[in-house]
Amino acid sequence: MTTPVTTEQRSGLTYRPNVDISDRGDEVLFVADMPGASAGSIDVTFEDGVLSIHAAVPPRDLPGRAVRQEYGIGDYRRSFRLGEGFDASRIVADYARGVLAVRVPRLAAVLPRRVQVRAG
């Protein structure tokens, strides 16, 4: 029989969530799997060109005596260096069904611009 994992044994765990990143031209989209988190526990920051995501996940209380526990509980933490050229004031984050989506828009000044060539 497996020894149950206690809260003390689980404390301090941090997981690196899987993230898909898409460059959409005018913004960069980050999609992170963060099951067990709640929207209120998620912290998204953008400072000095670095996007950081963190979520605190509370331990689960299972009814009865645990015989086996394979699902690890812990916080999520991940950071990405984007550099300059992004508009921190317009970053939007949405969380639904265990998935965090963060949209980081580019500054208008750094977006590619097509220059019209005039005939002479």
Side-chain angles (χ1 to χ4, degrees):
M1 182 148 335
T2 304
T3 304
V5 177
T6 65
T7 303
E8 292 76 34
Q9 290 171 311
R10 290 187 295 197
S11 66
L13 292 177
T14 302
Y15 294 96
R16 187 174 169 245
N18 291 330
V19 177
D20 291 334
I21 304 170
S22 301
D23 186 340
R24 300 166 56 143
D26 60 342
E27 69 179 6
V28 177
L29 172 65
F30 295 81
V31 178
D33 290 334
M34 302 175 86
S38 66
S41 74
I42 298 173
D43 185 32
V44 178
T45 61
F46 187 74
E47 186 175 351
D48 296 327
V50 176
L51 175 72
S52 297
I53 57 175
H54 172 259
V57 179
R60 277 189 306 165
D61 290 325
L62 298 175
R65 183 178 66 82
V67 176
R68 182 180 184 104
Q69 290 181 312
E70 295 182 347
Y71 183 79
I73 300 291
D75 293 354
Y76 295 106
R77 188 175 304 275
R78 194 83 189 263
S79 294
F80 304 91
R81 176 161 296 287
L82 297 178
E84 303 304 318
F86 293 91
D87 190 348
S89 68
R90 296 184 340 172
I91 293 175
V92 175
D94 297 300
Y95 182 73
R97 296 185 183 102
V99 178
L100 174 69
V102 181
R103 289 173 174 75
V104 184
R106 285 192 165 83
L107 291 168
V110 297
L111 290 175
R113 191 178 124 213
R114 182 176 173 93
V115 177
Q116 183 177 2
V117 177
R118 297 183 284 180

mmCIF file of all heavy atoms in Angstrom, residues 7-49:
data_model
loop_
_atom_site.group_PDB
_atom_site.id
_atom_site.type_symbol
_atom_site.label_atom_id
_atom_site.label_comp_id
_atom_site.label_asym_id
_atom_site.label_seq_id
_atom_site.Cartn_x
_atom_site.Cartn_y
_atom_site.Cartn_z
ATOM 1 N N THR A 7 0.328 17.267 3.355
ATOM 2 C CA THR A 7 0.439 18.666 2.922
ATOM 3 C C THR A 7 1.865 19.171 3.084
ATOM 4 O O THR A 7 2.385 19.889 2.244
ATOM 5 C CB THR A 7 -0.536 19.553 3.727
ATOM 6 O OG1 THR A 7 -1.840 19.041 3.557
ATOM 7 C CG2 THR A 7 -0.481 20.986 3.264
ATOM 8 N N GLU A 8 2.524 18.760 4.184
ATOM 9 C CA GLU A 8 3.898 19.213 4.420
ATOM 10 C C GLU A 8 4.831 18.727 3.308
ATOM 11 O O GLU A 8 5.736 19.417 2.896
ATOM 12 C CB GLU A 8 4.411 18.714 5.777
ATOM 13 C CG GLU A 8 3.730 19.334 6.974
ATOM 14 C CD GLU A 8 2.335 18.755 7.217
ATOM 15 O OE1 GLU A 8 2.129 17.548 6.960
ATOM 16 O OE2 GLU A 8 1.449 19.512 7.621
ATOM 17 N N GLN A 9 4.584 17.506 2.816
ATOM 18 C CA GLN A 9 5.426 16.975 1.746
ATOM 19 C C GLN A 9 5.175 17.688 0.423
ATOM 20 O O GLN A 9 6.046 17.760 -0.412
ATOM 21 C CB GLN A 9 5.162 15.481 1.572
ATOM 22 C CG GLN A 9 5.677 14.646 2.722
ATOM 23 C CD GLN A 9 5.205 13.219 2.603
ATOM 24 O OE1 GLN A 9 4.029 12.961 2.383
ATOM 25 N NE2 GLN A 9 6.128 12.281 2.751
ATOM 26 N N ARG A 10 3.959 18.221 0.241
ATOM 27 C CA ARG A 10 3.621 18.868 -1.023
ATOM 28 C C ARG A 10 3.997 20.348 -1.045
ATOM 29 O O ARG A 10 4.061 20.949 -2.092
ATOM 30 C CB ARG A 10 2.118 18.760 -1.292
ATOM 31 C CG ARG A 10 1.676 17.378 -1.613
ATOM 32 C CD ARG A 10 0.258 17.391 -2.026
ATOM 33 N NE ARG A 10 -0.576 17.799 -0.898
ATOM 34 C CZ ARG A 10 -1.876 17.612 -0.831
ATOM 35 N NH1 ARG A 10 -2.498 17.031 -1.815
ATOM 36 N NH2 ARG A 10 -2.566 17.993 0.206
ATOM 37 N N SER A 11 4.180 20.944 0.100
ATOM 38 C CA SER A 11 4.383 22.391 0.139
ATOM 39 C C SER A 11 5.661 22.784 -0.591
ATOM 40 O O SER A 11 6.637 22.058 -0.591
ATOM 41 C CB SER A 11 4.428 22.892 1.574
ATOM 42 O OG SER A 11 5.567 22.369 2.223
ATOM 43 N N GLY A 12 5.611 23.932 -1.217
ATOM 44 C CA GLY A 12 6.787 24.457 -1.887
ATOM 45 C C GLY A 12 7.006 23.966 -3.300
ATOM 46 O O GLY A 12 7.968 24.356 -3.932
ATOM 47 N N LEU A 13 6.135 23.111 -3.830
ATOM 48 C CA LEU A 13 6.301 22.642 -5.200
ATOM 49 C C LEU A 13 5.939 23.754 -6.181
ATOM 50 O O LEU A 13 4.970 24.479 -5.983
ATOM 51 C CB LEU A 13 5.412 21.431 -5.477
ATOM 52 C CG LEU A 13 5.766 20.137 -4.748
ATOM 53 C CD1 LEU A 13 4.746 19.067 -5.081
ATOM 54 C CD2 LEU A 13 7.154 19.682 -5.128
ATOM 55 N N THR A 14 6.725 23.880 -7.225
ATOM 56 C CA THR A 14 6.442 24.835 -8.285
ATOM 57 C C THR A 14 6.566 24.115 -9.613
ATOM 58 O O THR A 14 7.550 23.415 -9.856
ATOM 59 C CB THR A 14 7.425 26.021 -8.247
ATOM 60 O OG1 THR A 14 7.330 26.652 -6.967
ATOM 61 C CG2 THR A 14 7.096 27.043 -9.308
ATOM 62 N N TYR A 15 5.560 24.304 -10.450
ATOM 63 C CA TYR A 15 5.536 23.659 -11.754
ATOM 64 C C TYR A 15 5.715 24.685 -12.860
ATOM 65 O O TYR A 15 5.315 25.829 -12.728
ATOM 66 C CB TYR A 15 4.211 22.905 -11.958
ATOM 67 C CG TYR A 15 4.063 21.748 -11.020
ATOM 68 C CD1 TYR A 15 3.359 21.889 -9.835
ATOM 69 C CD2 TYR A 15 4.647 20.528 -11.312
ATOM 70 C CE1 TYR A 15 3.237 20.823 -8.954
ATOM 71 C CE2 TYR A 15 4.529 19.462 -10.442
ATOM 72 C CZ TYR A 15 3.825 19.616 -9.266
ATOM 73 O OH TYR A 15 3.707 18.565 -8.400
ATOM 74 N N ARG A 16 6.297 24.243 -13.939
ATOM 75 C CA ARG A 16 6.499 25.069 -15.129
ATOM 76 C C ARG A 16 5.401 24.693 -16.117
ATOM 77 O O ARG A 16 5.466 23.630 -16.729
ATOM 78 C CB ARG A 16 7.881 24.742 -15.692
ATOM 79 C CG ARG A 16 8.319 25.601 -16.794
ATOM 80 C CD ARG A 16 9.769 25.234 -17.120
ATOM 81 N NE ARG A 16 10.118 25.866 -18.349
ATOM 82 C CZ ARG A 16 10.406 25.236 -19.456
ATOM 83 N NH1 ARG A 16 10.457 23.936 -19.489
ATOM 84 N NH2 ARG A 16 10.678 25.904 -20.539
ATOM 85 N N PRO A 17 4.374 25.549 -16.254
ATOM 86 C CA PRO A 17 3.260 25.169 -17.129
ATOM 87 C C PRO A 17 3.681 25.131 -18.598
ATOM 88 O O PRO A 17 4.558 25.870 -19.027
ATOM 89 C CB PRO A 17 2.234 26.279 -16.892
ATOM 90 C CG PRO A 17 3.042 27.455 -16.466
ATOM 91 C CD PRO A 17 4.203 26.890 -15.697
ATOM 92 N N ASN A 18 3.043 24.247 -19.349
ATOM 93 C CA ASN A 18 3.250 24.210 -20.794
ATOM 94 C C ASN A 18 2.611 25.452 -21.397
ATOM 95 O O ASN A 18 1.502 25.833 -21.029
ATOM 96 C CB ASN A 18 2.623 22.955 -21.399
ATOM 97 C CG ASN A 18 3.361 21.703 -20.989
ATOM 98 O OD1 ASN A 18 4.555 21.724 -20.756
ATOM 99 N ND2 ASN A 18 2.643 20.611 -20.876
ATOM 100 N N VAL A 19 3.318 26.082 -22.324
ATOM 101 C CA VAL A 19 2.862 27.341 -22.923
ATOM 102 C C VAL A 19 3.038 27.281 -24.435
ATOM 103 O O VAL A 19 4.090 26.884 -24.929
ATOM 104 C CB VAL A 19 3.646 28.546 -22.354
ATOM 105 C CG1 VAL A 19 3.223 29.839 -23.019
ATOM 106 C CG2 VAL A 19 3.461 28.645 -20.843
ATOM 107 N N ASP A 20 1.996 27.683 -25.161
ATOM 108 C CA ASP A 20 2.085 27.890 -26.602
ATOM 109 C C ASP A 20 2.186 29.388 -26.830
ATOM 110 O O ASP A 20 1.459 30.164 -26.198
ATOM 111 C CB ASP A 20 0.840 27.356 -27.320
ATOM 112 C CG ASP A 20 0.754 25.831 -27.283
ATOM 113 O OD1 ASP A 20 1.811 25.178 -27.170
ATOM 114 O OD2 ASP A 20 -0.370 25.314 -27.359
ATOM 115 N N ILE A 21 3.063 29.810 -27.728
ATOM 116 C CA ILE A 21 3.264 31.233 -28.015
ATOM 117 C C ILE A 21 3.036 31.457 -29.504
ATOM 118 O O ILE A 21 3.628 30.762 -30.328
ATOM 119 C CB ILE A 21 4.689 31.687 -27.630
ATOM 120 C CG1 ILE A 21 4.958 31.368 -26.153
ATOM 121 C CG2 ILE A 21 4.870 33.178 -27.913
ATOM 122 C CD1 ILE A 21 6.403 31.562 -25.741
ATOM 123 N N SER A 22 2.192 32.450 -29.817
ATOM 124 C CA SER A 22 1.892 32.780 -31.213
ATOM 125 C C SER A 22 2.181 34.244 -31.463
ATOM 126 O O SER A 22 1.701 35.106 -30.727
ATOM 127 C CB SER A 22 0.407 32.528 -31.522
ATOM 128 O OG SER A 22 0.079 31.192 -31.293
ATOM 129 N N ASP A 23 2.942 34.527 -32.522
ATOM 130 C CA ASP A 23 3.164 35.904 -32.958
ATOM 131 C C ASP A 23 2.066 36.233 -33.950
ATOM 132 O O ASP A 23 1.993 35.642 -35.029
ATOM 133 C CB ASP A 23 4.539 36.038 -33.598
ATOM 134 C CG ASP A 23 4.884 37.482 -33.937
ATOM 135 O OD1 ASP A 23 3.964 38.316 -34.043
ATOM 136 O OD2 ASP A 23 6.080 37.770 -34.081
ATOM 137 N N ARG A 24 1.200 37.154 -33.574
ATOM 138 C CA ARG A 24 0.054 37.496 -34.415
ATOM 139 C C ARG A 24 0.233 38.843 -35.111
ATOM 140 O O ARG A 24 -0.741 39.457 -35.515
ATOM 141 C CB ARG A 24 -1.199 37.482 -33.547
ATOM 142 C CG ARG A 24 -1.416 36.089 -32.939
ATOM 143 C CD ARG A 24 -2.414 36.072 -31.832
ATOM 144 N NE ARG A 24 -3.694 36.604 -32.251
ATOM 145 C CZ ARG A 24 -4.860 36.143 -31.857
ATOM 146 N NH1 ARG A 24 -4.898 35.131 -31.029
ATOM 147 N NH2 ARG A 24 -5.963 36.697 -32.255
ATOM 148 N N GLY A 25 1.460 39.284 -35.242
ATOM 149 C CA GLY A 25 1.737 40.547 -35.928
ATOM 150 C C GLY A 25 1.645 41.725 -34.986
ATOM 151 O O GLY A 25 2.653 42.273 -34.579
ATOM 152 N N ASP A 26 0.425 42.103 -34.616
ATOM 153 C CA ASP A 26 0.245 43.262 -33.741
ATOM 154 C C ASP A 26 0.293 42.898 -32.261
ATOM 155 O O ASP A 26 0.278 43.774 -31.396
ATOM 156 C CB ASP A 26 -1.077 43.977 -34.052
ATOM 157 C CG ASP A 26 -2.286 43.082 -33.853
ATOM 158 O OD1 ASP A 26 -2.129 41.853 -33.803
ATOM 159 O OD2 ASP A 26 -3.403 43.627 -33.743
ATOM 160 N N GLU A 27 0.368 41.601 -31.942
ATOM 161 C CA GLU A 27 0.457 41.147 -30.561
ATOM 162 C C GLU A 27 1.101 39.765 -30.505
ATOM 163 O O GLU A 27 1.199 39.072 -31.519
ATOM 164 C CB GLU A 27 -0.929 41.086 -29.903
ATOM 165 C CG GLU A 27 -1.810 39.989 -30.466
ATOM 166 C CD GLU A 27 -3.178 39.917 -29.804
ATOM 167 O OE1 GLU A 27 -3.523 40.782 -28.982
ATOM 168 O OE2 GLU A 27 -3.915 38.962 -30.131
ATOM 169 N N VAL A 28 1.526 39.398 -29.309
ATOM 170 C CA VAL A 28 2.019 38.053 -29.060
ATOM 171 C C VAL A 28 1.038 37.405 -28.081
ATOM 172 O O VAL A 28 0.675 38.005 -27.069
ATOM 173 C CB VAL A 28 3.451 38.056 -28.485
ATOM 174 C CG1 VAL A 28 3.920 36.646 -28.169
ATOM 175 C CG2 VAL A 28 4.414 38.721 -29.457
ATOM 176 N N LEU A 29 0.588 36.187 -28.406
ATOM 177 C CA LEU A 29 -0.381 35.475 -27.592
ATOM 178 C C LEU A 29 0.310 34.323 -26.873
ATOM 179 O O LEU A 29 0.992 33.506 -27.496
ATOM 180 C CB LEU A 29 -1.512 34.930 -28.469
ATOM 181 C CG LEU A 29 -2.520 33.994 -27.797
ATOM 182 C CD1 LEU A 29 -3.315 34.728 -26.724
ATOM 183 C CD2 LEU A 29 -3.445 33.387 -28.843
ATOM 184 N N PHE A 30 0.129 34.267 -25.541
ATOM 185 C CA PHE A 30 0.648 33.191 -24.707
ATOM 186 C C PHE A 30 -0.542 32.394 -24.189
ATOM 187 O O PHE A 30 -1.478 32.977 -23.632
ATOM 188 C CB PHE A 30 1.420 33.751 -23.506
ATOM 189 C CG PHE A 30 2.660 34.496 -23.889
ATOM 190 C CD1 PHE A 30 2.595 35.814 -24.315
ATOM 191 C CD2 PHE A 30 3.901 33.884 -23.817
ATOM 192 C CE1 PHE A 30 3.730 36.512 -24.665
ATOM 193 C CE2 PHE A 30 5.047 34.580 -24.166
ATOM 194 C CZ PHE A 30 4.962 35.897 -24.595
ATOM 195 N N VAL A 31 -0.521 31.069 -24.351
ATOM 196 C CA VAL A 31 -1.585 30.207 -23.858
ATOM 197 C C VAL A 31 -0.924 29.173 -22.944
ATOM 198 O O VAL A 31 -0.102 28.378 -23.396
ATOM 199 C CB VAL A 31 -2.348 29.523 -25.010
ATOM 200 C CG1 VAL A 31 -3.424 28.596 -24.464
ATOM 201 C CG2 VAL A 31 -2.957 30.568 -25.939
ATOM 202 N N ALA A 32 -1.294 29.218 -21.643
ATOM 203 C CA ALA A 32 -0.651 28.370 -20.636
ATOM 204 C C ALA A 32 -1.665 27.453 -19.957
ATOM 205 O O ALA A 32 -2.729 27.905 -19.555
ATOM 206 C CB ALA A 32 0.025 29.249 -19.586
ATOM 207 N N ASP A 33 -1.310 26.172 -19.825
ATOM 208 C CA ASP A 33 -2.133 25.223 -19.087
ATOM 209 C C ASP A 33 -1.849 25.393 -17.600
ATOM 210 O O ASP A 33 -0.717 25.211 -17.153
ATOM 211 C CB ASP A 33 -1.807 23.784 -19.500
ATOM 212 C CG ASP A 33 -2.277 23.462 -20.898
ATOM 213 O OD1 ASP A 33 -3.242 24.102 -21.359
ATOM 214 O OD2 ASP A 33 -1.693 22.563 -21.530
ATOM 215 N N MET A 34 -2.900 25.747 -16.834
ATOM 216 C CA MET A 34 -2.749 25.953 -15.390
ATOM 217 C C MET A 34 -3.938 25.352 -14.646
ATOM 218 O O MET A 34 -4.682 26.057 -13.970
ATOM 219 C CB MET A 34 -2.599 27.444 -15.098
ATOM 220 C CG MET A 34 -1.415 28.072 -15.805
ATOM 221 S SD MET A 34 -1.306 29.853 -15.602
ATOM 222 C CE MET A 34 -0.426 29.943 -14.071
ATOM 223 N N PRO A 35 -4.141 24.022 -14.759
ATOM 224 C CA PRO A 35 -5.293 23.409 -14.092
ATOM 225 C C PRO A 35 -5.194 23.527 -12.579
ATOM 226 O O PRO A 35 -4.107 23.479 -12.011
ATOM 227 C CB PRO A 35 -5.226 21.946 -14.538
ATOM 228 C CG PRO A 35 -3.807 21.720 -14.908
ATOM 229 C CD PRO A 35 -3.303 23.032 -15.436
ATOM 230 N N GLY A 36 -6.340 23.702 -11.946
ATOM 231 C CA GLY A 36 -6.399 23.794 -10.490
ATOM 232 C C GLY A 36 -6.265 25.198 -9.957
ATOM 233 O O GLY A 36 -6.539 25.453 -8.790
ATOM 234 N N ALA A 37 -5.832 26.135 -10.794
ATOM 235 C CA ALA A 37 -5.707 27.532 -10.362
ATOM 236 C C ALA A 37 -7.081 28.196 -10.445
ATOM 237 O O ALA A 37 -7.985 27.709 -11.113
ATOM 238 C CB ALA A 37 -4.715 28.278 -11.253
ATOM 239 N N SER A 38 -7.228 29.311 -9.760
ATOM 240 C CA SER A 38 -8.438 30.120 -9.904
ATOM 241 C C SER A 38 -7.999 31.462 -10.478
ATOM 242 O O SER A 38 -6.845 31.878 -10.306
ATOM 243 C CB SER A 38 -9.123 30.329 -8.557
ATOM 244 O OG SER A 38 -8.312 31.103 -7.702
ATOM 245 N N ALA A 39 -8.894 32.136 -11.153
ATOM 246 C CA ALA A 39 -8.547 33.419 -11.782
ATOM 247 C C ALA A 39 -7.992 34.399 -10.750
ATOM 248 O O ALA A 39 -7.068 35.155 -11.035
ATOM 249 C CB ALA A 39 -9.767 34.008 -12.482
ATOM 250 N N GLY A 40 -8.527 34.370 -9.537
ATOM 251 C CA GLY A 40 -8.066 35.285 -8.496
ATOM 252 C C GLY A 40 -6.677 34.985 -7.974
ATOM 253 O O GLY A 40 -6.041 35.847 -7.365
ATOM 254 N N SER A 41 -6.176 33.772 -8.207
ATOM 255 C CA SER A 41 -4.844 33.413 -7.711
ATOM 256 C C SER A 41 -3.748 33.642 -8.749
ATOM 257 O O SER A 41 -2.575 33.429 -8.461
ATOM 258 C CB SER A 41 -4.818 31.940 -7.282
ATOM 259 O OG SER A 41 -4.822 31.090 -8.415
ATOM 260 N N ILE A 42 -4.127 34.075 -9.943
ATOM 261 C CA ILE A 42 -3.149 34.244 -11.022
ATOM 262 C C ILE A 42 -2.619 35.670 -11.027
ATOM 263 O O ILE A 42 -3.375 36.638 -10.961
ATOM 264 C CB ILE A 42 -3.772 33.900 -12.389
ATOM 265 C CG1 ILE A 42 -4.216 32.431 -12.396
ATOM 266 C CG2 ILE A 42 -2.776 34.154 -13.516
ATOM 267 C CD1 ILE A 42 -4.986 32.028 -13.630
ATOM 268 N N ASP A 43 -1.307 35.787 -11.125
ATOM 269 C CA ASP A 43 -0.633 37.078 -11.168
ATOM 270 C C ASP A 43 0.147 37.162 -12.482
ATOM 271 O O ASP A 43 0.995 36.311 -12.749
ATOM 272 C CB ASP A 43 0.307 37.198 -9.970
ATOM 273 C CG ASP A 43 0.957 38.565 -9.862
ATOM 274 O OD1 ASP A 43 0.319 39.563 -10.256
ATOM 275 O OD2 ASP A 43 2.100 38.636 -9.376
ATOM 276 N N VAL A 44 -0.162 38.173 -13.284
ATOM 277 C CA VAL A 44 0.539 38.402 -14.552
ATOM 278 C C VAL A 44 1.221 39.754 -14.449
ATOM 279 O O VAL A 44 0.566 40.761 -14.166
ATOM 280 C CB VAL A 44 -0.433 38.385 -15.755
ATOM 281 C CG1 VAL A 44 0.306 38.680 -17.056
ATOM 282 C CG2 VAL A 44 -1.156 37.047 -15.844
ATOM 283 N N THR A 45 2.538 39.795 -14.666
ATOM 284 C CA THR A 45 3.274 41.063 -14.620
ATOM 285 C C THR A 45 4.132 41.208 -15.867
ATOM 286 O O THR A 45 4.546 40.215 -16.479
ATOM 287 C CB THR A 45 4.181 41.151 -13.371
ATOM 288 O OG1 THR A 45 5.136 40.085 -13.404
ATOM 289 C CG2 THR A 45 3.370 41.080 -12.089
ATOM 290 N N PHE A 46 4.387 42.458 -16.218
ATOM 291 C CA PHE A 46 5.292 42.777 -17.334
ATOM 292 C C PHE A 46 6.186 43.901 -16.855
ATOM 293 O O PHE A 46 5.718 45.010 -16.610
ATOM 294 C CB PHE A 46 4.505 43.199 -18.568
ATOM 295 C CG PHE A 46 5.367 43.378 -19.785
ATOM 296 C CD1 PHE A 46 5.872 42.289 -20.461
ATOM 297 C CD2 PHE A 46 5.675 44.646 -20.245
ATOM 298 C CE1 PHE A 46 6.680 42.451 -21.586
ATOM 299 C CE2 PHE A 46 6.477 44.824 -21.361
ATOM 300 C CZ PHE A 46 6.979 43.722 -22.034
ATOM 301 N N GLU A 47 7.466 43.582 -16.675
ATOM 302 C CA GLU A 47 8.406 44.565 -16.152
ATOM 303 C C GLU A 47 9.755 44.397 -16.832
ATOM 304 O O GLU A 47 10.265 43.276 -16.945
ATOM 305 C CB GLU A 47 8.551 44.376 -14.641
ATOM 306 C CG GLU A 47 9.394 45.426 -13.985
ATOM 307 C CD GLU A 47 9.429 45.283 -12.469
ATOM 308 O OE1 GLU A 47 8.663 44.474 -11.909
ATOM 309 O OE2 GLU A 47 10.231 45.988 -11.855
ATOM 310 N N ASP A 48 10.318 45.509 -17.293
ATOM 311 C CA ASP A 48 11.626 45.502 -17.959
ATOM 312 C C ASP A 48 11.686 44.501 -19.105
ATOM 313 O O ASP A 48 12.684 43.798 -19.290
ATOM 314 C CB ASP A 48 12.751 45.222 -16.960
ATOM 315 C CG ASP A 48 12.877 46.314 -15.907
ATOM 316 O OD1 ASP A 48 12.602 47.484 -16.236
ATOM 317 O OD2 ASP A 48 13.241 45.990 -14.761
ATOM 318 N N GLY A 49 10.584 44.398 -19.861
ATOM 319 C CA GLY A 49 10.557 43.527 -21.025
ATOM 320 C C GLY A 49 10.353 42.055 -20.714
ATOM 321 O O GLY A 49 10.489 41.210 -21.593
#
